[in-house]
Amino acid sequence: MQFIWIWGQEPSINHQKRIIKYGIYCPILNQIQTMKIAAIATATPDEILTHEEGELMQRRMFSRISTEPISDLFNILLKHVYRGEINERRHCVALKYHERLLGEINPNDKIPGTNTERRMEIYAKEALALTLDSIAKLPTNSTEQTPKFSHIIYVSCTGQIAPGISVGIVEHLCLASSTNILEINFYGGCAGLLTGLKVARDIIDSKSSSRVLLCATELCSLHFQPTKSNEQIIVNSIFGDGSVSMICEGEGNTEILQSKVSHAWRHIASKTYLLPDTKDMITWNLGSAGFKMSLSPALPKYISKNLKSVVEIILTKEGIALSDITNWAIHPGGPKILETCQSALSLSDEQVATSWQIYRDFGNMSSSTVGFILEKMRAEKRHGYCVAIAFAPGVRVEVAILHY
């Protein structure tokens, strides 16, 4: 289906809503193309870290850097952050390398093999394998065993290698050497997938026949840190690993079988907003033993103060009211962040239930997490508008407006 603007003029707000909701076709002059997420698939490592094992892991990691007995305060914090009802399991590829990364060590060799170089060697191998797993799960046209793509966008903030994972994707899929590739690394943070969606939309807007493979793969567990820090204990407890792949096409592209993809998220708009005076509230920096994150305890206060007005400004520009939104794909940065977003936007428990469920079962998988939420909502046929929200260092708020 293709949407046409009437006589080259932008349609009224109500007319835009009718086009989005009912697919009205107006065969006059200038064409407008809507991007659809024609397919979504996810993958996780086989290795699972339960909340009980996660607590034990933290104790072992503590023993790597200290001969002191574990304090009562440390014990209380561990029990708090590994609450079973919201922290049941994480998929963690680092468990394959636990002798070097997670605490089963020779006491005379405190931190063997945990330098950043070694972690990036693991990343190069495991990130490509996990990405190819999520791609393999995408539904394809039966006449097209391997889909062809004009563009590959690869998103990850948990690994830095060159040539990048995108090159491995092109080689594995036997794509043309002219395939356009782009990687969104590091700075994208937890909002990287939504940034990738925005770039995919720009590509399709510029050439409607484009087909974009958008992948986001994060191996957060490679950066778990031995620590005495309360902040780092919390960081270690909330993250897991995962990959999501999406096929993004113009609305009129029918190469993905409709019998396999009868419904799709349609991308309405993407926006970025930088919260003032927050540049030190989320940081993500290179360290000698992996990447190191800092999360300010003041961040929820700033989200509470600013989020609703930011979202309303973005929605208003698209002619959509806050009350029109039936679905919310809020990135679960952690329990406190998700609770704050729910309160700031006055959302019901049902409206944030999917975000909580993904956090409970998978944790914060950085940029790939929102993709897991959208996949589950699509499978459940959650019709209507959806607002996806994620936060990145800055603090940058990325928002995508979708419709199903």
Side-chain angles (χ1 to χ4, degrees):
M1 182 184 297
Q2 294 178 333
F3 300 143
I4 307 298
W5 282 10
I6 299 177
W7 299 113
Q9 300 296 317
E10 182 174 348
S12 69
I13 296 302
N14 287 334
H15 185 68
Q16 290 181 49
K17 288 183 178 180
R18 289 198 299 273
I19 288 175
I20 293 165
K21 185 172 183 180
Y22 302 112
I24 294 174
Y25 178 80
C26 304
I28 308 176
L29 292 185
N30 296 336
Q31 178 174 303
I32 180 172
Q33 180 84 0
T34 298
M35 183 181 83
K36 64 182 178 183
I37 302 173
I40 310 177
T42 60
T44 53
D46 292 334
E47 296 75 22
I48 296 176
L49 185 72
T50 66
H51 60 278
E52 295 95 342
E53 292 165 342
E55 184 176 341
L56 180 60
M57 177 197 74
Q58 294 268 31
R59 296 180 187 280
R60 288 173 174 168
M61 293 176 77
F62 179 88
S63 71
R64 297 173 65 177
I65 59 172
S66 178
T67 58
E68 302 172 4
I70 293 177
S71 69
D72 291 341
L73 181 60
F74 191 96
N75 280 319
I76 291 170
L77 181 59
L78 282 183
K79 290 178 181 178
H80 176 71
V81 298
Y82 284 98
R83 292 172 287 179
E85 69 273 14
I86 60 170
N87 193 344
E88 290 192 357
R89 64 188 71 87
R90 304 283 182 263
H91 292 260
C92 297
V93 76
L95 293 175
K96 290 175 67 173
Y97 307 89
H98 67 280
E99 291 185 0
R100 293 199 168 190
L101 293 177
L102 300 182
E104 298 287 350
I105 63 167
N106 183 325
N108 297 319
D109 189 8
K110 281 295 183 185
I111 311 181
T114 59
N115 60 66
T116 301
E117 179 182 5
R118 170 60 177 149
R119 292 172 191 248
M120 290 304 96
E121 290 172 357
I122 297 171
Y123 175 87
K125 174 185 176 181
E126 299 292 347
L128 177 59
L130 192 60
T131 303
L132 296 180
D133 189 11
S134 66
I135 292 172
K137 294 176 180 178
L138 289 166
T140 60
N141 192 314
S142 59
T143 64
E144 186 182 36
Q145 193 65 31
T146 301
K148 301 303 180 184
F149 301 99
S150 60
H151 296 74
I152 304 292
I153 301 175
Y154 177 76
V155 177
S156 183
C157 69
T158 52
Q160 297 283 345
I161 58 169
I165 300 298
S166 57
V167 174
I169 295 171
V170 170
E171 291 177 340
H172 180 81
L173 297 180
C174 300
L175 299 177
S177 57
S178 59
T179 303
N180 297 282
I181 58 177
L182 171 67
E183 297 211 359
I184 299 173
N185 297 124
F186 208 71
Y187 176 70
C190 295
L193 179 67
L194 297 186
T195 302
L197 270 179
K198 184 163 51 179
V199 174
R201 177 62 187 267
D202 288 343
I203 290 168
I204 289 168
D205 280 351
S206 65
K207 189 174 182 179
S208 61
S209 62
S210 298
R211 181 198 271 176
V212 181
L213 175 62
L214 171 60
C215 304
T217 299
E218 303 288 9
L219 302 184
C220 305
S221 68
L222 295 183
H223 305 288
F224 288 171
Q225 300 284 326
T227 186
K228 293 182 180 180
S229 161
N230 292 350
E231 179 185 38
Q232 190 61 49
I233 290 169
I234 294 171
V235 169
N236 287 350
S237 75
I238 65 178
F239 285 97
D241 302 340
S243 176
V244 61
S245 291
M246 298 178 170
I247 298 175
C248 300
E249 299 179 325
E251 181 67 26
N253 194 328
T254 59
E255 292 189 39
I256 299 295
L257 273 187
Q258 293 303 309
S259 61
K260 289 192 175 183
V261 186
S262 58
H263 295 86
W265 287 112
R266 282 156 177 82
H267 180 270
I268 309 303
S270 285
K271 300 293 181 182
T272 300
Y273 190 92
L274 191 65
L275 295 182
D277 304 317
T278 59
K279 67 178 182 179
D280 296 324
M281 292 192 176
I282 302 177
T283 65
W284 185 231
N285 293 300
L286 295 176
S288 59
F291 303 169
K292 301 185 73 172
M293 169 166 277
S294 173
L295 291 172
S296 169
L299 179 60
K301 180 182 72 174
Y302 277 76
I303 292 175
S304 180
K305 179 181 178 181
N306 294 284
L307 184 60
K308 184 175 182 179
S309 61
V310 168
V311 172
E312 285 181 328
I313 289 169
I314 293 170
L315 290 175
T316 299
K317 288 182 178 179
E318 302 303 320
I320 302 170
L322 197 63
S323 58
D324 292 333
I325 309 303
T326 53
N327 302 298
W328 293 85
I330 299 176
H331 172 70
K336 186 64 176 176
I337 297 297
L338 193 47
E339 289 168 359
T340 300
C341 291
Q342 179 178 357
S343 176
L345 295 167
S346 302
L347 303 180
S348 67
D349 290 345
E350 182 180 2
Q351 287 176 301
V352 292
T354 306
S355 291
W356 277 113
Q357 184 174 349
I358 295 300
Y359 180 76
R360 183 195 69 203
D361 293 340
F362 302 97
N364 177 346
M365 298 169 286
S366 192
S367 68
S368 59
T369 317
V370 168
F372 278 67
I373 297 170
L374 292 175
E375 181 194 37
K376 182 168 179 56
M377 286 181 170
R378 188 202 62 79
E380 295 172 348
K381 296 182 171 55
R382 301 279 289 276
H383 296 283
Y385 284 110
C386 175
V387 170
I389 301 173
F391 304 94
V395 170
R396 193 174 81 254
V397 185
E398 285 285 350
V399 177
I401 306 171
L402 307 168
H403 190 274
Y404 180 80

